[in-house]
Amino acid sequence: MNWLQNIVRPEIWKMAGYSSARMEMTDVSGMIQLDANENPYLPYLTTKSGVGNINRYPHPQPDAVLARLAAIYGVSQKQVLVGRGMDEIMDVLVRVFCIPYKDKIMITPPTYGYYQAIADIAGITVSKVPLSSTDFSLDVAGVIRNTDENTKIIFLCTPNNPTGNVFSLKDIEQIASSLPNVIIAVDEAYIEFADVPSATTIVHKYQNIVVMRTLSKAYAFAGVRVGTLIAIPEIINVARKVLAPYPIPIPVTNLILEALSPFGLELANSRIELLKSERDRVFKHLTSLPGIHVYPSHANFLLFKVSDANAVYKDLLAKGIIIRHRGKDVENTLRFTIGSQEENDLVLRALGVKLDIAKQNERQAILNRKTNETEILAKINLDKQLPVKISTGIGFFDHMLEQLAKHGGFSMELSAKGDTHIDYHHTVEDVAIVIGQALKQALGDKRGINRYGFVLPMDEACAFATLDLSGRGVLIYEAKFKNLLIGDFPVEMVEHFFLSLADQLEAAIHLKVTGDNSHHMVEGLFKAFAKALNQAINRTNNNNVPSTKGTL
Ligand code: PMP
């Protein structure tokens, strides 16, 4: 008997596994598909985008999805199994390895509650080796000592929910090597928020380590249900026998491929960084409050202890804020998920933190926009000057946008891929739209800003720009150029750029330029406008909305 046969439930090992129509062939496209009792017609649907041939069964494990997941998790495709959320993956593991009314799983409370539920449903006993009550560290010796011959799986959650701490790979390796016939299932639902290596880096060293990952948290895909098992190929093959025949619906495959495209990953990574910095900011504020203990966290939530968790819970609820009461796990604790900057500020204020908005919040926005013509990702931070990184595929335009950010005094990272092989029109216009929207979003309610800006000077070419962040988009543009092109950049697109920007930023922009050299004139316009914008967005000493209306 080989190692795996010895530890898999005998009936699962013996069964051939259901062989679905789509499992027998990887690619049936282009064939007359009369093998799966499907309907040849598409159903009525109002959503046309990204749906595909949904009258057909999906492939049980879509190749493109496996390839993408394997790439982001740094393993080979044969080591990957994809299911409906990590919850389903855990359930599959229990059904593969545990014999009902005989076997056990081990958990290390306080930890994720669903392990217990799966075991209860399956008729499996749960043995518990608690984490340290002071710092929630793993009791490695206790885990090893308490494992017996019926213990089939040990679930280790790192970063742990609800405590937020991580277990070291060294500890996990020690457990795996001491218990070679027990599956060590490492739940890394929150690992993307931690600055520690994933256990995927050690799966090749220990055949009994399996890692579970999810797109629910860091990739903002909780509503789509995508979880992944990473293990040696032999375990993947057995787990496939237990997983339902067609777990990944066709629309879901399309969504996954879009979210995990290079652009999608760039956006997800920016948001992970934002959430991490918010977590650290919230942590600092909360620890400054008397009567509260906040546990350090490597996840997108914080656990904190107060003297009366019930009272705090009810008080927040009355203020319209739901957080999680974790008193059953750790006395008088509450767990709070890191939300957007605004949401976090509401919680902090509700808990009694005095926030000075002007000092606390960096005004920033991350935006992406995708059409058939362009794909744009923009990150803007009005309260930082660097980095400025622009790449639109149009050299002159990049140069102008760098001027805009540099002289506007704000950080902007913008990448655009457009149909520049046709002409520059769509890319320039859509970049303006995204910048306008990002600036508007970053400005928020415009509290504390200067609102107006103006500038007059330039040398040979004299550019003039005034700007009012008025909430109404208007462009007045006076410019006569001698050339229609600067390099290969059409000068008419300058007006179009500012028109789209004025429209999306909801600003009145007045631009005028005179001169001889078109390059100087356009550059002058971008710089003058940037200076005006810089003055307008800079904060004053007061925190008022600069309008007698009280709103802009
Ligand atoms: N593991 C942990 C530790 C979790 O907190 C959660 C969700 N709350 C999950 C797994 C479930 O992940 P999924 O959404 O992929 O089922």
Side-chain angles (χ1 to χ4, degrees):
M1 267 210 276
N2 74 16
W3 168 77
L4 191 58
Q5 183 178 358
N6 228 355
I7 61 171
V8 167
R9 253 172 80 188
E11 53 271 47
I12 301 292
W13 184 263
K14 270 191 241 127
M15 78 186 239
Y18 173 66
S19 176
S20 63
R22 290 290 169 271
M23 220 180 255
E24 283 158 15
M25 264 187 264
T26 329
D27 190 4
V28 289
S29 54
M31 299 181 81
I32 314 270
Q33 295 168 38
L34 301 176
D35 57 335
N37 303 344
E38 298 152 337
N39 191 312
Y41 307 110
L42 278 170
Y44 170 75
L45 275 180
T46 48
T47 324
K48 294 280 180 271
S49 63
V51 169
N53 293 335
I54 58 167
N55 54 325
R56 305 286 174 193
Y57 284 105
H59 190 273
Q61 291 286 291
D63 202 56
V65 170
L66 295 189
R68 246 6 244 144
L69 289 170
I72 62 170
Y73 296 144
V75 294
S76 86
Q77 212 172 307
K78 286 193 190 127
Q79 292 176 284
V80 168
L81 181 83
V82 59
R84 290 159 292 190
M86 196 201 288
D87 287 340
E88 179 172 51
I89 298 294
M90 293 166 190
D91 192 43
V92 165
L93 286 178
V94 169
R95 287 188 287 150
V96 166
F97 291 102
C98 301
I99 303 173
Y101 310 114
K102 175 165 178 257
D103 285 339
K104 295 180 195 168
I105 61 163
M106 183 185 283
I107 62 172
T108 62
T111 192
Y112 183 45
Y114 196 55
Y115 312 133
Q116 172 87 50
I118 294 170
D120 289 348
I121 295 163
I124 305 300
T125 313
V126 178
S127 67
K128 297 176 184 171
V129 176
L131 300 175
S132 144
S133 59
T134 45
D135 62 359
F136 304 124
S137 59
L138 192 59
D139 176 6
V140 176
V143 166
I144 296 170
R145 198 175 52 245
N146 285 288
T147 299
D148 62 20
E149 59 178 24
N150 291 328
T151 310
K152 292 303 188 66
I153 306 174
I154 300 174
F155 284 101
L156 298 177
C157 184
T158 173
N160 186 42
N161 180 7
T163 57
N165 60 310
V166 288
F167 306 144
S168 74
L169 289 188
K170 213 171 111 267
D171 284 355
I172 295 171
E173 289 192 60
Q174 196 186 333
I175 294 172
S177 58
S178 308
L179 304 170
N181 291 327
V182 180
I183 295 295
I184 313 302
V186 186
D187 177 340
E188 292 191 334
Y190 302 97
I191 191 75
E192 290 87 354
F193 300 106
D195 295 315
V196 297
S198 158
T200 52
T201 55
I202 53 171
V203 275
H204 64 281
K205 285 205 270 175
Y206 302 88
Q207 56 189 2
N208 57 330
I209 292 185
V210 305
V211 182
M212 302 177 296
R213 301 283 291 260
T214 179
L215 298 186
S216 293
K217 316 289 177 179
Y219 296 96
F221 244 41
V224 188
R225 314 302 301 130
V226 188
T228 304
L229 174 69
I230 296 150
I232 54 168
E234 292 79 2
I235 293 183
I236 298 294
N237 290 339
V238 183
R240 267 190 78 165
K241 294 203 260 182
V242 172
L243 191 65
Y246 306 106
I248 308 298
I250 287 170
V252 166
T253 287
N254 297 335
L255 291 175
I256 297 173
L257 295 180
E258 199 171 341
L260 300 186
S261 67
F263 246 73
L265 288 183
E266 223 180 298
L267 182 70
N269 287 331
S270 310
R271 297 230 162 103
I272 291 168
E273 288 312 312
L274 188 63
L275 288 170
K276 280 163 66 181
S277 80
E278 272 298 284
R279 173 190 66 204
D280 298 343
R281 181 179 75 91
V282 171
F283 180 85
K284 275 194 207 127
H285 281 302
L286 282 187
T287 40
S288 72
L289 285 176
I292 186 166
H293 177 74
V294 194
Y295 297 93
S297 169
H298 289 267
N300 66 337
F301 54 79
L302 289 170
L303 185 76
F304 61 95
K305 193 177 195 122
V306 288
S307 57
D308 186 352
N310 274 336
V312 174
Y313 181 78
K314 281 193 195 137
D315 178 48
L316 289 182
L317 206 56
K319 290 171 177 157
I321 302 165
I322 310 173
I323 64 172
R324 198 92 198 264
H325 199 311
R326 295 279 78 182
K328 278 201 199 115
D329 293 328
V330 187
E331 204 190 353
N332 273 322
T333 55
L334 296 153
R335 192 195 66 195
F336 147 48
T337 306
I338 301 301
S340 68
Q341 220 166 41
E342 292 71 28
E343 290 170 333
N344 300 334
D345 282 353
L346 286 175
V347 176
L348 288 172
R349 283 212 186 79
L351 290 170
V353 175
K354 299 258 174 301
L355 286 178
D356 171 355
I357 298 185
K359 281 208 184 105
Q360 300 311 325
N361 283 347
E362 286 183 351
R363 296 166 300 170
Q364 48 186 318
I366 303 174
L367 234 88
N368 72 328
R369 182 175 191 273
K370 190 177 169 194
T371 67
N372 289 339
E373 293 157 352
T374 63
E375 204 175 353
I376 297 161
L377 179 67
K379 271 203 278 180
I380 282 184
N381 185 329
L382 299 181
D383 297 303
K384 274 194 181 148
Q385 301 197 329
L386 291 171
V388 174
K389 280 192 219 152
I390 312 287
S391 115
T392 65
I394 307 172
F396 179 74
F397 191 40
D398 285 358
H399 182 43
M400 291 305 103
L401 295 179
E402 276 159 16
Q403 306 295 337
L404 180 67
K406 179 150 184 11
H407 295 284
F410 57 90
S411 156
M412 175 158 76
E413 288 169 84
L414 184 140
S415 51
K417 267 188 280 169
D419 53 1
T420 48
H421 57 284
I422 299 175
D423 66 12
Y424 295 162
H425 192 103
H426 298 141
T427 302
V428 173
E429 175 176 304
D430 291 358
V431 163
I433 288 172
V434 170
I435 293 178
Q437 288 173 346
L439 284 171
K440 181 165 181 276
Q441 193 177 318
L443 280 165
D445 67 2
K446 303 182 190 165
R447 203 169 278 279
I449 64 165
N450 265 320
R451 178 174 174 185
Y452 298 103
F454 65 91
V455 77
L456 286 156
M458 287 300 291
D459 345 316
E460 158 264 320
C462 183
F464 165 97
T466 60
L467 165 70
D468 180 9
L469 295 170
S470 59
R472 299 178 298 277
V474 178
L475 176 71
I476 305 293
Y477 184 83
E478 286 178 44
K480 284 212 166 57
F481 294 96
K482 291 187 180 152
N483 303 316
L484 295 179
L485 289 173
I486 301 172
D488 61 354
F489 188 86
V491 173
E492 61 166 11
M493 286 312 296
V494 176
E495 180 171 4
H496 201 67
F497 174 87
F498 283 109
L499 187 63
S500 301
L501 189 71
D503 190 43
Q504 296 298 321
L505 179 57
E506 295 176 358
I509 300 173
H510 290 228
L511 297 174
K512 187 173 166 180
V513 66
T514 55
D516 282 331
N517 180 305
S518 300
H519 184 127
H520 286 172
M521 289 165 70
V522 172
E523 186 163 341
L525 274 180
F526 270 85
K527 280 183 175 161
F529 172 74
K531 284 286 192 192
L533 183 63
N534 179 253
Q535 289 189 19
I537 63 179
N538 273 344
R539 282 170 160 156
T540 57
N541 290 331
N542 72 50
N543 197 25
N544 300 329
V545 176
S547 163
T548 47
K549 291 194 198 96
T551 166
L552 269 177

